Amino acid sequence: MSSLAIHLLWLLIHLVISIFFFVLKIANVLESYLISSGFLKKYESINVGKLRYLAVVVDSEDALQINKVIKLVQWLADIGVKHVCLYDNEGILKKSKDIILKNLSCVKLFEEGDEQSLRGKKTMSLEFASQSDGKEALAKAANLLLKKHLKLRSLGENQEEKIFTEAHMTEALRAVGSGGPEPDLLLVYGPVRCHLGFPAWRLRYTEIVHMGPLKSLKYGSLLKAIYKFTLVRQNYGK
């Protein structure tokens, strides 16, 4: 086969793939519009109580779009989600915490909220997290466990008490302020399909959904992702 034929074949394959993704994008936009407009009735009755804790991971560049983030959180409150964690790697959302809270009367900080105060349909607790709650927090927790180990050693405690378990690490992470709940669902807004550094120890049973860039934020797509999660049966094992 000549190089010209190979080049033409490559162009044809590229064209077919481009058309496929273009049609898929149009279909998703249309579906999102139909959901938002209420034409698809099944999305009107969501068992949002099954979603106890939701995490939203935003790419650091997208996190600069604070108005989009505020709109997203407001939509989640309107849907009835009670507990949300906002994460970006560089801590931009943490730094913008005051602006976000000022524009959302329905939100309380995670540390301040409790089940009694969140009984209102559109009230939620909001946690802010960043990379400092990841590797740095793990290092602080490990250092705390080491100090405890050295203390036990100096007191001549039994060897069994010097063995660190998962429960010890969880307790240490909470002690350094990074032991938040494990999300049931994690929504990723950004160009790549990964959790972008969200603390891995909080993702043991988490469903992860890539939502695309934040600039393409759509209410229908958000509602669809939450609806699909409520239909999933999670098996946690023994």
Side-chain angles (χ1 to χ4, degrees):
M1 186 180 291
S2 66
S3 58
L4 177 60
I6 293 175
H7 181 65
L8 290 174
L9 179 61
W10 184 88
L11 289 176
L12 179 61
I13 293 173
H14 184 268
L15 178 62
V16 170
I17 293 175
S18 298
I19 292 174
F20 171 77
F21 280 105
F22 177 75
V23 172
L24 185 63
K25 183 177 180 180
I26 295 298
N28 288 334
V29 170
L30 179 60
E31 183 185 35
S32 177
Y33 171 76
L34 293 174
I35 294 173
S36 302
S37 302
F39 289 108
L40 302 181
K41 300 299 182 182
K42 67 179 181 180
Y43 293 101
E44 292 182 356
S45 55
I46 296 180
N47 181 20
V48 75
K50 190 175 180 180
L51 182 57
R52 294 164 298 178
Y53 199 86
L54 170 70
V56 177
V57 172
V58 183
D59 178 74
S60 292
E61 289 189 13
D62 286 359
L64 295 170
Q65 305 175 53
I66 299 300
N67 289 335
K68 288 277 189 180
V69 174
I70 292 172
K71 180 186 289 188
L72 172 59
V73 176
Q74 183 62 63
W75 283 349
L76 291 171
D78 292 341
I79 292 170
V81 180
K82 292 297 183 184
H83 304 284
V84 174
C85 174
L86 287 180
Y87 173 94
D88 77 282
N89 193 46
E90 296 181 12
I92 294 171
L93 297 177
K94 262 188 177 181
K95 295 173 184 175
S96 306
K97 177 170 61 177
D98 292 339
I99 298 174
I100 294 173
L101 294 175
K102 183 179 179 181
N103 285 274
L104 294 167
S105 58
C106 60
V107 168
K108 292 187 176 183
L109 282 176
F110 177 73
E111 308 86 72
E112 301 172 355
D114 54 55
E115 292 300 327
Q116 189 66 30
S117 63
L118 299 176
R119 290 190 180 278
K121 184 179 179 182
K122 296 182 180 180
T123 306
M124 69 158 60
S125 70
L126 190 60
E127 176 190 1
F128 292 87
S130 66
Q131 187 182 33
S132 63
D133 301 292
K135 293 181 180 179
E136 291 182 27
L138 197 59
K140 290 179 181 178
N143 188 49
L144 186 65
L145 288 174
L146 176 61
K147 289 180 179 178
K148 183 178 180 180
H149 169 77
L150 294 175
K151 182 178 180 181
L152 290 174
R153 184 178 179 182
S154 66
L155 295 174
E157 297 288 343
N158 294 330
Q159 183 65 29
E160 288 78 10
E161 296 185 41
K162 299 174 185 176
I163 298 174
F164 299 135
T165 64
E166 183 179 338
H168 290 134
M169 178 56 77
T170 300
E171 183 181 346
L173 285 167
R174 286 175 180 166
V176 299
S178 298
E182 295 181 17
D184 301 300
L185 175 64
L186 184 141
L187 304 179
V188 180
Y189 286 92
V192 294
R193 295 176 178 269
C194 68
H195 59 73
L196 297 173
F198 190 89
W201 58 85
R202 295 177 62 178
L203 298 176
R204 287 176 292 183
Y205 304 110
T206 303
E207 293 282 333
I208 302 177
V209 179
H210 182 250
M211 302 294 289
L214 191 63
K215 65 180 180 181
S216 302
L217 178 68
K218 294 180 180 63
Y219 179 76
S221 299
L222 177 65
L223 199 60
K224 179 183 177 182
I226 294 175
Y227 174 78
K228 288 181 70 175
F229 168 78
T230 62
L231 300 180
V232 173
R233 179 179 178 181
Q234 292 180 309
N235 296 315
Y236 298 102
K238 295 182 180 180

